[in-house]
Amino acid sequence: MSDINKIYELSEKYQNSADKIEIEQAENALNEELLNYGAGSVGLAQINTIAGDIEYNSEKVLKCINHAQNIGLDLVVFPELTLAGCPVGDAILRYPLFGDTNVKWLKEIAKLVTKTTAVVGFLEPADEKNNRFYSSVAVLGEGKILNIIRRYVVDKNFEFNDCKYIISSGNSTITEINVNGIKYGISIGDDYLSEDKFSGQNFDIIINCCASVTYPQKEKSKSDKLSVLAQRYSVPVIYVNQVGAVDTASFAGSSSVFGKEGELFARAKGFDEQFLIINPYKNLGKIYPLIKGLELTAKDNSEFSLDYKPDMERTYNILIQGIKDYFGKTGFKRAVLGLSGGLDSTVCAVLLAAALGKENVFGVSMPSKITSDTSKSDAKVLAQNLGIGFTEAPIKEMFDTTNNCLQKLFTDVEKNWDCRYKKSYTPDNIQARARATFLWCVSNEFGSCLPIATSDKSEAYMGYATINGDMSGGFAPIADVTKTKLFALARWMNENRSQKNVIPQSVIEKRPGAELAINPETGKPLIAEDALMPYEFLDEVIWRIENKHQSYDDMLNSEFLYEKSHKITSEQKQQWLEKFYRRMGTALYKKSIMPPYVIVDSPLYNFKQPITSGRINYKSETEEIIRDKIQKML
Amino acid sequence: MSDINKIYELSEKYQNSADKIEIEQAENALNEELLNYGAGSVGLAQINTIAGDIEYNSEKVLKCINHAQNIGLDLVVFPELTLAGCPVGDAILRYPLFGDTNVKWLKEIAKLVTKTTAVVGFLEPADEKNNRFYSSVAVLGEGKILNIIRRYVVDKNFEFNDCKYIISSGNSTITEINVNGIKYGISIGDDYLSEDKFSGQNFDIIINCCASVTYPQKEKSKSDKLSVLAQRYSVPVIYVNQVGAVDTASFAGSSSVFGKEGELFARAKGFDEQFLIINPYKNLGKIYPLIKGLELTAKDNSEFSLDYKPDMERTYNILIQGIKDYFGKTGFKRAVLGLSGGLDSTVCAVLLAAALGKENVFGVSMPSKITSDTSKSDAKVLAQNLGIGFTEAPIKEMFDTTNNCLQKLFTDVEKNWDCRYKKSYTPDNIQARARATFLWCVSNEFGSCLPIATSDKSEAYMGYATINGDMSGGFAPIADVTKTKLFALARWMNENRSQKNVIPQSVIEKRPGAELAINPETGKPLIAEDALMPYEFLDEVIWRIENKHQSYDDMLNSEFLYEKSHKITSEQKQQWLEKFYRRMGTALYKKSIMPPYVIVDSPLYNFKQPITSGRINYKSETEEIIRDKIQKML
């Protein structure tokens, strides 16, 4: 075995072990191995912080610094804003000591940095009274703060309003630090985008400390730019990125090192913490495999496709990390969810069991008289396959009691209001609400337990979910995954998880429906696509809005994938598009009270549009139409 | 009667009439009267637009322009962003034709402007592909667009992310237009703050078109600055402001004109649409009374006080406008709410009846075995006083059925999880959820009806509300009003509304409690203050966070109003503060799914803090404490 492999083996042992003696042995051995490498050995501390929890973050930083010192690294580099966590958003307004406290911790940490140099991201007060800060990194060494470097490029796209609080340094030059005879130029966040800033200086290595929210099709372009930067100045570029989830925002990790010819030299794991040791001068590096999907580019997404496979590993990892961190960082441990035997709750159950452990997930089948036998047995089989807790709690009594009580209430209301619907959805909604009541009450009765909202993205756009029903919960794992992608994810999980075929085949094969009502035309439970439109069509509309920024008219004039395999009239298409926009407008309210979720596919899913603007006319209007309308107004 | 009074009388008649002939007569008479005034007569079109609804807004604009032409005004001035509505937020991303469409409407409107000049705010595409726009005003006259003027000062504090999309003109000089021999300098939004821009030019009058969200203690400072501007350049300043509510954001109207010595010359109504005719050259102006509370300054708010009277009229008006516009602009008409006989639901009922009309409000008393007779009769008396619909729907059966069903479910879950609480809040929550189920089902069964969430601000900060229970609804009218302020509002409404003493005295006198559980110590329903802390103390904590940006330690070291009248130990105070911060952290999730509400007291109430940052340690730490903690970490 070569020395390099030994180093990474020891490093993995150190990181995976909980045994003190084993850890010490691994550190000693690493120290000995690294002696052969001399100057230029760097640790990339890709850690998962908690926004605002300075003490928690400091402990992680200290642990990494100690490790670097124990094994004799020149330098240990952390992501941007490590001590404060990122993003913190308006926490700054509720916690006026924020900047002050993270500086205090920084100073105390600095005293312990004597045998290595540490580059630590923190929130530097610029004008704390007015809540203005720099995103800075401190260079720690010789038991003190040696230097402070401030981020220059600050744009409006920070998550959680952080852009309100973080200002630019105003100084575009890149600061240099000298460690063991090597000159490192230090940049923060998007500073690397402003390539010219690096010119005219003689760095040996460029460092970028980053906390960059991951989006589909973004990572490749980011690494390409870093690679070009390395080539342009003919020096290695070290990029240290945050990992973990903060509510909707996810960080992919995958910190990387590029050689002076722009070639990928080393890369840390995706969606996982890691302390990666490298030395670009002595050829010490390891490329951990990239999570499939992170390499996709905008070009791979230029056409709508139902072939979601290339993006499945990324999707799965981002969901698992999102669930794990939402629960872990809020202090919750357990999840209870309804298992309907349908796709949404099934996928949620698999993800939750993987993220929280099967012993922490409890599934409840809550059949009504409409629930089919297949649905009931699918729910049970799934729970057995996963090994999660399971029971059946029929809702018949709840339904009957609620319905009875309501009849008198409705009669009383009708005395005042003559607007009672001829055909009402009340019975459908009673069922969904009875189920949510059960789940919320379980979460009230048992410690550290959150109920799960199983709504998916296609339904959320259409408002096709019941408030205080299936839309309700403490977390909504799949709220940013469309229905067609969920089918693909179910299949992918059946094939690619270590335990195969956890999901019963019938769940993947049946057409989705909430089993809340009988379709009078078929005598069978209502199918969602009959109430809405085909999911393939619906999901392409969503895709076109989020990825192509298309208007109603653009869509009318584009050929949909669905149209290639199905004959539909232009009237039918128009009708579906109109229904989409109408429902999207009225669903704005529902979206505003959607439980927390993780963004998988589109930052635009976090839309903040006034609910009172829901009746916008999305269609384009010719001058003639406008003139006609004006004539009628006069 | 002098001519001036006649003009305002005719103008009111025109605006309040629905009768075509009456309107025409008023316009003809106004035209005749205004002939005496000659050049310089201007109409301030203070209108209430719908964000994104260009057609709706255009119709209002056209109506005002026609009126200006019919009565022979030189000029009619609209607020900023009139055609597009403001704020629109991320609607821009879903509606790519936004800019394009409002320009098309603008062009068609321009053709009809032949006998007056109109200054109309709109959203001007700068780089529409990248969603960049100017906030511009078009000068319309002679049947065409004569000029386009762009806003220069654009800050980060736009509501709804509008700052992401709106860019500065980059040109700081003020454009001048000449109408009937008078030179008007036109500024937009915060442009007036940059006073120097006006220098070196020879305007006769300065115009400011604005869409400025109203906050407590802001309006006075805004008018002071406008008055100073008038003085400095010794010219009248005309300020036209938007009115109405867009979800949480409210606009106060109160458009004003300042004379050349800075004196207030004319002012439109607050929180109401108005077309105000003025002529600063000919002394034609009227000062409508200012809504009390809009004149308050930061100085009036320098100490926490329980004397809310000076702010009551503003509070009442902003709430009424907020309810009216949320319902009106989303298309809802009716509200159904639970009437518990408590303060929160009582205040909500009064506000809803005032905003929507008593015939559109239905109150349901939903007593449980804990509900006292007083509560039941208070609810009934209130409904009778208000003349709203009312019935009683006891929840005993719902409670019993739910409770029965849950016992088996809990036993099953307990087989897997050993974390069942000894003392559970489940029975309390079942009651709140049964009530919400009734209300949501009424809204499902009857047209255009929203259920109301009656949570108040003190409870929302503490998470002292039940998810899918009292926290649940289609709108939360009083979510930004603290409990002590609600008491004051109840008293104020009893004294100041045309119908006196609508609210039974006992509602105002009893100590608040949810009547969900019995306090074992007293044998009586649990009082909220016993579970939390005294509301006077709690509300001062909230006030100090939102207004003073104070930390835990600042508060510990400040004397609270409550301490002046009650002896409390420092341990007690510390305990309450700790409880506050702990509960605020865990309530972040609940806050994230709070239904839409209107901001009354603090823009900071719209906090966007990561839920996963809820376990922040808000206390300050000395270096010694930090050093100790670090020692333990090593």
Side-chain angles (χ1 to χ4, degrees), chain A residues 55 90 95 104 156 163 247 391 412 420 424 426 433 444-445 473 589 608 611-612 617 621 629, chain B residues 55 90 95 104 156 163 247 391 412 420 424 426 433 444-445 473 589 608 611-612 617 621 629:
Chain A
E55 185 173 336
D90 296 330
Y95 184 21
K104 276 189 190 161
K156 290 178 177 180
C163 68
D247 297 15
T391 191
D412 289 345
R420 187 166 175 180
S424 111
T426 310
R433 286 182 189 131
N444 288 143
E445 190 76 13
Y589 160 60
K608 206 178 165 200
I611 296 164
T612 44
N617 168 21
E621 296 169 308
K629 285 185 173 175
Chain B
E55 184 172 337
D90 296 331
Y95 185 21
K104 276 189 189 160
K156 291 177 176 179
C163 67
D247 297 15
T391 192
D412 290 345
R420 186 165 176 182
S424 111
T426 310
R433 287 182 187 129
N444 288 143
E445 192 75 14
Y589 159 62
K608 206 177 166 202
I611 296 165
T612 45
N617 168 21
E621 295 169 309
K629 285 185 173 174

Side-chain angles (χ1 to χ4, degrees), chain B residues 222-234:
Chain B
K222 205 164 65 179
S223 359
D224 283 352
K225 282 173 190 150
L226 291 163
S227 160
V228 165
L229 189 67
Q231 274 178 69
R232 176 159 165 190
Y233 294 105
S234 207

Side-chain angles (χ1 to χ4, degrees), chain B residues 503-552:
Chain B
I503 300 174
Q505 202 54 28
S506 51
V507 173
I508 302 177
E509 278 161 10
K510 76 179 150 210
R511 295 180 67 200
E515 292 194 327
L516 292 174
I518 297 293
N519 184 342
E521 286 168 31
T522 62
K524 289 181 185 165
L526 192 70
I527 298 297
E529 291 184 308
D530 296 341
L532 301 170
M533 63 194 79
Y535 278 116
E536 288 185 27
F537 186 88
L538 170 58
D539 290 353
E540 184 163 350
V541 178
I542 296 169
W543 179 87
R544 285 177 181 272
I545 287 189
E546 295 188 345
N547 295 281
K548 291 282 165 183
H549 197 235
Q550 282 197 343
S551 71
Y552 173 94

